[in-house]
Amino acid sequence: MTTTLPPGSAVLPATAVRPADLERRLHAYALDRVAGWGLPLGLAAALVVGGATTWLVVLAPLLLGAVLVVLGAALLSSRGATPGMALLGLRVERPDGALTLSAAVRRQAVLALAGLPTFGLGLATLAWTAAADVSGRRRGWHDELVGTVVVDARPVPAAVVGPERPQPIVNLTAMRLVPPEPTPAGVAPDVPVTPTPADPLPTPEPPAPAPGRRRAAAPAATRAPEPVPPRRAARPETRWRATADTGETVLVRGLTLLGRGPQPREGESVADLVALPSTDMSVSKTHAQLQLSDDGSLVVMDRGSTNGSVLIRQGVPRHLSAGRPVTLLDGDVLHLGDRVLEISGER
């Protein structure tokens, strides 16, 4: 899965941890089940052909299945991956410490029980708990039980950003920015205007009005232009980056559209189009946008997505209203469907 960006992009290092996609985890589980189910069933078939007693046909495969669960847990605690995970580049980690053998046995036992012939209800329940994880790390109930998270152990692809190009003049927070006072015609900016006194001249008497007509009103005195306040000093420029949980990092240079296949509106000037892969289709085609305001801050706005956007600031979630811009801060986290973006800014 790759991120679609315009040609001529530069590269940036990506440091974000990438939670594994649910699709790859399901494939790894299926590979492990080939051995977990195939060997006990093969043993049971061999015992039936050999004329073994019924209790032996039932008990021996169950014991073999339990041994396979322990072996899988031993591989998980020692190497961080079962054979199926290792083939697909996945790894199980425990952020708060090493995964012990007893914890790995509990985790594998839950997976084995969920895989029993129950019309897929057990596996569907675990997959649902992983997809509904509000932290964005896709931790299922078996992961929550022992404090583990499944990550993508493949080499992180080079992060890409848009090419250098002029920043479009699109300000989403113009309603909170006060425009400067207009400069009087013929006066240089930042220079106070001081009227120069002049000697008074005699004012000629206006001609007498014709009979039956009113005299025109005298013109109002011309007011001197007010001094123009000095302009504020420019703030140091902030470089804003959005790092996705897939490993890609985008340097925001202007209006940036995010989604499964983002497309600009008619007449909209866009700096970058960033395609975010979504295994459960929870990311809309054009989900949200990032934009730099005139004061150098970064602004996010939901573009009317189906599943909505969530801003997490210091652990507190906030649902974004469609069409309403919100200013971001360094360290904020955005949840767009099943994708997670970390916001960072540096001067």
Side-chain angles (χ1 to χ4, degrees):
M1 299 180 182
T2 57
T3 298
T4 305
L5 290 171
S9 299
V11 295
L12 287 174
T15 58
V17 176
R18 299 179 296 163
D21 291 335
L22 296 180
E23 183 179 359
R24 295 180 63 83
R25 293 176 62 175
L26 180 60
H27 292 166
Y29 176 82
L31 292 176
D32 290 332
R33 289 305 94 198
V34 170
W37 291 340
L39 293 179
L41 290 177
L43 177 60
L47 292 175
V48 170
V49 173
T53 58
T54 303
W55 67 268
L56 184 60
V57 172
V58 175
L59 185 59
L62 291 178
L63 291 176
L64 179 57
V67 171
L68 292 177
V69 169
V70 175
L71 288 177
L75 291 175
L76 207 60
S77 61
S78 61
R79 299 189 177 184
T82 61
M85 290 181 175
L87 287 175
L88 293 182
L90 304 180
R91 185 176 68 251
V92 174
E93 295 183 352
R94 193 175 185 179
D96 56 351
L99 180 62
T100 62
L101 179 60
S102 60
V105 169
R106 293 198 304 272
R107 184 184 187 278
Q108 293 302 100
V110 172
L111 280 176
L113 292 176
L116 293 177
T118 56
F119 302 100
L121 294 179
L123 290 178
T125 301
L126 290 183
W128 179 83
T129 58
D133 184 9
V134 295
S135 69
R137 294 181 291 176
R138 306 186 186 96
R139 300 174 64 181
W141 184 78
H142 55 303
D143 290 315
E144 294 284 354
L145 180 66
V146 296
T148 56
V149 58
V150 183
V151 300
D152 196 335
R154 296 174 297 170
V156 179
V160 289
V161 299
E164 293 284 352
R165 62 180 74 181
Q167 177 179 332
I169 305 176
V170 180
N171 184 11
L172 299 180
T173 54
M175 70 290 292
R176 65 183 181 85
L177 299 179
V178 180
E181 293 292 336
T183 304
V187 179
D190 302 336
V191 178
V193 179
T194 304
T196 303
D199 295 334
L201 297 176
T203 304
E205 289 292 336
R213 297 184 182 179
R214 293 184 179 181
R215 174 180 293 184
T222 304
R223 298 176 58 184
E226 298 180 357
V228 179
R231 296 180 179 177
R232 297 180 180 177
R235 298 185 180 181
E237 182 181 358
T238 303
R239 296 170 63 87
W240 291 98
R241 288 181 174 86
T243 303
D245 57 347
T246 55
E248 289 82 4
T249 299
V250 178
L251 178 62
V252 182
R253 303 180 186 274
L255 180 59
T256 303
L257 301 185
L258 309 169
R260 285 188 292 107
Q263 294 294 329
R265 299 189 181 105
E266 183 178 357
E268 192 172 37
S269 178
V270 177
D272 292 297
L273 302 174
V274 181
L276 300 175
S278 177
T279 56
D280 56 4
M281 303 297 285
S282 58
V283 178
S284 298
K285 185 176 180 180
T286 304
H287 198 106
Q289 69 179 49
L290 297 174
Q291 170 67 356
L292 297 173
S293 65
D294 288 346
D295 62 355
S297 60
L298 183 63
V299 179
V300 65
M301 186 178 74
D302 186 274
R303 302 266 294 208
S305 62
T306 302
N307 295 294
S309 305
V310 178
L311 166 63
I312 298 181
R313 178 171 297 169
Q314 297 180 350
V316 180
R318 170 187 176 185
H319 290 270
L320 303 181
S321 301
R324 298 189 62 180
V326 175
T327 302
L328 296 175
L329 301 179
D330 184 20
D332 286 349
V333 178
L334 290 176
H335 284 252
L336 310 180
D338 61 345
R339 293 271 73 88
V340 181
L341 289 88
E342 297 181 2
I343 304 301
S344 59
E346 60 182 19
R347 296 187 183 274

